[in-house]
Amino acid sequence: MDNSSILYDVAKGFSAQLARQMIDDGTVEEVMPHQESYRKEYRKHLSQLLFNLTKAQSLSRMSGKRIKVAIPLTQIQNGKGRCGAAHMSYSRIRKLLDAFKKENLIVEEKGKPFWECSAEWVFEHLDDQTGSPKGKVTRIYPVGKLEERINAYLDGNTAIGADVDILVEESAVVLEEDGEFIRTFDSPEASHFQRTVEDVNEAVAGRLSTDGVGTSLSLPLSLLFPSSHSITDRTSPEQAHEVVTHEHCPTAWAWEHELDGDRITYTVPESALKYQRKFCRGSWDCGGRFYSDFLNVPSDWRKHMRIGGEPVTELDYDNLHFNMLYAEEGETLGRDAYQTDFDMLEGLQRPVNKIVANVLINAPTSQALYGCLKNSVDWQEEVGLDLPDEIFQPIVESLRKRHEPISDHFHSDAGIRLQRKDSDLACEVMTETGAIGIHDGFVIEASREGELRDAMKRAFAEEYGSYDIGVSREFEPLTPDGDFALDRTSPAESGADRKRRASPKPS
């Protein structure tokens, strides 16, 4: 696939919403089944395909040449890789394509050469003789009535008309309510928050670009491949970087990378450090955190990052939301928020307490609190142990006793409001230092750790009346020659903690 094609992708944000609206407007009514029972499931798959056709047509209008949608045949069948999020078999797509062709709505080009799929798909589909990827794609593009309808729809749903449309590039500021994205381009709030995103992007990606300071990840193969699954099982070391299975960071497959001895070095593109700010519940006071592709990089990878060739450090706020609540009440948190007098779990008490404490704050009611702890948290995945239901009440009571000064905030659904406040702190810190933000944590050159620490503490103190919050390292920096103990545990939190720390997700 060359630059006249785009890979079949997953609809999201405004793009997905507009694709659904096109169905509601009757744009493709002729391919919808008559039976009501089939229409809902069919609609989901149809909106996926329609999104891709619309995106390709939008790019065609902007570039002045025909852009087509390339559909990898085998990749989608397994529901894995980039297209996996669509949960759509190729047989299902085949039925849609046949329906569109029957109505003369698309042109289809079968058997075109494979170019790009997920690394996992590539690894499983190497040619035994050459070690190169094998496979084909089907390419499609809209014609006739469908092309006319899409063009008309693009004209009617662009921010400023012409060929500049919101399907190609999502807005830097997104406001969502009940799963639907609200158009806010002309509102004063959107303009204000747009400027905050521009300031952050200039400070982070802009600084790295202007200063010529490259950002890279130099990962040991032992980190990517356990001993039971050697990278050389199916290919030569020279081809190893072409078949890395990025199970936890598929976006990195598209980044420039090369094999260097026993390491793979990735160049982090400037685009991966460009942020978008997401608000939720139809309110500018909910959510508001900054998101970028770099947030998908696992914490174990970030330990091996370098900025301008220099090792990095990552600093996190300690117990951020608890400290915010204590500061609002004119109190001081003191010791670790997740340590209590109740200890029956022999070493697992802190990670369990951390999950329970965050649910305690974020749950909307006391009934929802226990329901979530019993039914919504996968304790085996989070802490490696299934917990009996009867243990939750004494844990909750111990946390209530420990945090009596902020008890009015328990099961108050406060987390989404606190995200709005911590996103403002992140804005201040990133704008001042140019550090790469991961919500309440920040990555910067190890030599600038003191500068970052001061900026984080100062931003919090300015917002909360000189409150002195703690700031901790997420990991120890690499030595200049790249040495790092791979089995060294994080002093701040585990991998399960890292996932939990992003909760609650905007809803």
Side-chain angles (χ1 to χ4, degrees), residues 15-32:
S15 307
Q17 184 172 325
L18 288 180
R20 293 194 297 269
Q21 288 179 3
M22 291 181 72
I23 299 175
D24 294 337
D25 292 345
T27 298
V28 287
E29 183 62 30
E30 53 262 65
V31 300
M32 292 290 286

Side-chain angles (χ1 to χ4, degrees), residues 180-248:
E180 298 293 325
F181 287 77
I182 303 171
R183 262 182 104 160
T184 60
F185 300 110
D186 300 324
S187 71
E189 295 89 350
S191 298
H192 166 72
F193 291 118
Q194 174 80 29
R195 288 192 293 272
T196 67
V197 175
E198 292 172 354
D199 290 343
V200 165
N201 285 337
E202 181 179 358
V204 180
R207 177 181 69 87
L208 298 177
S209 174
T210 302
D211 297 348
V213 180
T215 308
S216 65
L217 292 163
S218 183
L219 309 177
L221 298 183
S222 56
L223 176 66
L224 301 174
F225 295 90
S227 57
S228 61
H229 187 66
S230 171
I231 194 172
T232 59
D233 285 348
R234 296 287 299 276
T235 186
S236 66
E238 291 74 18
Q239 297 166 326
H241 64 287
E242 298 179 4
V243 294
V244 173
T245 56
H246 294 156
E247 193 171 302
H248 302 293

Side-chain angles (χ1 to χ4, degrees), residues 373-391:
L373 293 176
K374 295 176 181 179
N375 304 315
S376 300
V377 178
D378 188 339
W379 292 101
Q380 185 67 46
E381 178 183 352
E382 296 288 354
V383 300
L385 181 69
D386 289 321
L387 301 181
D389 291 349
E390 57 268 20
I391 201 171

Side-chain angles (χ1 to χ4, degrees), residues 10 51 78 105 109 118 127 161 165 182 217 263 266 341 467:
V10 178
F51 155 73
N78 296 329
L105 300 177
E109 300 173 347
S118 73
D127 186 282
D165 72 275
I182 303 171
L217 292 163
R263 307 179 75 87
Y266 293 82
D341 296 333
Y467 191 102

